[in-house]
Amino acid sequence: MSELKMIHKPEITHTQMVKYAGASGDFNPIHTVVPVGEKAGLDGVIAHGMLIMGMAGEALAEWFPRKDLRKFKVRFSKMTRPGEKLTIEGRVTGEIWEDDEKRLTGEVSVKNEAGEQKLSGRFEFKI
């Protein structure tokens, strides 16, 4: 197994979440309207899970050629809030043969500065 280069993302901002809502079409107000998030018991707004998955995907594309991605699956573990800084970590876990091609398998995780895991996932790339 080999560790991949950690990717550090800048602080999540409320503006970034509003822009992501517009780009994705996900206008659920728990992501953009603080009083709605508070009323929902969330202590304010929370980032879109797919925004965090997108950051993990950006890391995969930095580690490997995007065209060689074959599988990418994730599980969300904790909510992400404005002000958090995230780090994406990855590691290669092995090699397999699937669909007549050799692939690297690996794991990816996204954590905040306190070490709370926000997302964990698995990936496969053609080699």
Side-chain angles (χ1 to χ4, degrees):
M1 292 190 275
S2 63
E3 301 294 318
L4 300 165
K5 179 185 131 204
M6 281 195 280
I7 309 287
H8 300 283
K9 302 302 280 183
E11 181 177 302
I12 301 284
T13 67
H14 188 241
T15 301
Q16 177 183 22
M17 291 164 35
V18 170
K19 287 179 178 180
Y20 184 83
S24 69
D26 181 351
F27 295 103
N28 186 326
I30 65 169
H31 300 301
T32 57
V33 182
V34 173
V36 171
E38 289 170 344
K39 189 174 181 183
L42 298 173
D43 258 353
V45 292
I46 59 170
H48 299 75
M50 296 306 288
L51 173 61
I52 308 312
M53 184 178 180
M55 291 178 182
E58 283 180 324
L60 293 179
E62 189 167 319
W63 295 328
F64 303 101
R66 183 174 294 152
K67 67 180 178 51
D68 294 334
L69 178 66
R70 294 298 184 263
K71 290 186 182 177
F72 178 34
K73 297 180 180 184
V74 303
R75 178 170 291 233
F76 301 100
S77 352
K78 287 204 175 248
M79 293 180 273
T80 302
R81 302 179 181 283
E84 291 188 87
K85 292 181 183 177
L86 303 178
T87 299
I88 299 103
E89 300 175 340
R91 65 188 182 120
V92 173
T93 58
E95 295 179 359
I96 61 169
W97 278 91
E98 189 167 325
D99 296 331
D100 294 325
E101 65 185 14
K102 192 174 185 179
R103 297 181 184 182
L104 283 179
T105 60
E107 298 172 344
V108 62
S109 68
V110 178
K111 297 177 182 174
N112 68 7
E113 290 178 297
E116 295 175 318
Q117 186 160 298
K118 304 297 183 166
L119 170 151
S120 61
R122 298 185 175 277
F123 61 82
E124 293 179 14
F125 277 88
K126 176 186 162 203
I127 54 174

